[in-house]
Amino acid sequence: ATLSGTTITTLRQRQLDIRTCLNKESSEIRVLQATVDCYPSSTTTEELDFQDKCRAYLIQYTARLITESQPEAVLSNLEFKGSMDSEMNGFIVQLNEMATQPPSPAKSLPNPIILSESYGAISRLNSYRSTRISALQSTFPALHFWIVFALGGSICLVFLMETDQKILIFLNAVQLRLLWSILIGTLTSLGTVCYDLSQPFRGSYQI
């Protein structure tokens, strides 16, 4: 019972952590979207300005976020890419170019307050993404669930051995059947909940 309770609590907390990080990432994306409108734009049409480039990075990051939150998302890909492979790296490069570019008639200098707010939002966004990816990768191995299954099976086996007496079967047949049904139903429900919680983006407890 303790092992099952710990398993369910840990898996549920994992889902809550992922949900919290997703909400925080969405908020930071909105902050960056608002600051992008204040970036300097180029007066020439030969190249994309900082606004267009940064918007493109935000769109790509949002698409990545949606892909990683799908039920069919492959966690093995996240193990190789991790939290370092992100469009925010390109976003930071654009911010650095804006901060270091010399003044010219074609491009205006960015507002230092806007730059500071953008750097802060990206730093928080990367932190939330790292926490979310870590939570997605942090799950119980198959051996843990096999141990829980073995413990449940051993409880059923002990029940059958202790009640394998003719006098008990003769006097308490209905009660024994009722207890056996409750035992099997409880263990099955616990197994179903553990399996459901192990998949954060599908099932009754999905995010």
Side-chain angles (χ1 to χ4, degrees):
T2 302
L3 185 59
S4 299
T6 302
T7 302
I8 293 175
T9 302
T10 303
L11 291 176
R12 182 55 180 166
Q13 185 60 46
R14 171 177 174 248
Q15 282 195 335
L16 294 177
D17 292 341
I18 296 173
R19 182 192 296 272
T20 301
C21 289
L22 285 173
N23 290 333
K24 290 182 178 180
E25 285 183 80
S26 300
S27 299
E28 296 300 334
I29 289 175
R30 294 189 185 97
V31 172
L32 286 174
Q33 184 180 7
T35 58
V36 164
D37 295 333
C38 301
Y39 292 169
S41 57
S42 177
T43 58
T44 62
T45 58
E46 296 178 356
E47 60 178 354
L48 294 175
D49 56 22
F50 289 120
Q51 290 186 5
D52 294 333
K53 292 179 181 179
C54 291
R55 284 196 189 97
Y57 284 125
L58 280 180
I59 293 174
Q60 293 172 10
Y61 183 88
T62 304
R64 176 192 292 271
L65 188 64
I66 295 174
T67 302
E68 293 174 349
S69 302
Q70 297 300 317
E72 61 274 8
V74 181
L75 294 181
S76 59
N77 294 337
L78 299 179
E79 294 179 1
F80 294 103
K81 294 181 180 179
S83 60
M84 300 303 296
D85 184 12
S86 171
E87 287 74 17
M88 291 300 102
N89 297 331
F91 203 112
I92 292 178
V93 171
Q94 294 300 316
L95 291 180
N96 294 337
E97 290 183 3
M98 281 193 295
T100 58
Q101 69 174 348
S104 64
K107 294 182 179 179
S108 59
L109 292 176
N111 190 314
I113 298 178
I114 297 298
L115 277 179
S116 177
E117 180 64 27
S118 299
Y119 279 116
I122 291 177
S123 178
R124 294 189 297 270
L125 191 61
N126 287 334
S127 177
Y128 299 146
R129 172 176 166 78
S130 298
T131 304
R132 176 173 57 85
I133 297 301
S134 298
L136 284 172
Q137 295 175 347
S138 300
T139 184
F140 291 107
L143 178 62
H144 177 87
F145 295 102
W146 279 111
I147 292 175
V148 175
F149 177 78
L151 290 176
S154 64
I155 294 175
C156 296
L157 181 60
V158 170
F159 178 87
L160 292 176
M161 293 176 61
E162 291 294 329
T163 56
D164 188 18
Q165 301 179 27
K166 293 183 179 181
I167 186 64
L168 289 177
I169 297 176
F170 177 75
L171 297 177
N172 303 309
V174 176
Q175 292 87 338
L176 291 177
R177 290 192 181 97
L178 180 61
L179 289 175
W180 176 253
S181 300
I182 293 174
L183 179 61
I184 294 299
T186 301
L187 293 177
T188 302
S189 300
L190 289 175
T192 303
V193 171
C194 289
Y195 177 77
D196 198 342
L197 288 174
S198 64
Q199 304 292 331
F201 300 111
R202 64 161 57 97
S204 301
Y205 294 91
Q206 65 179 337
I207 298 175

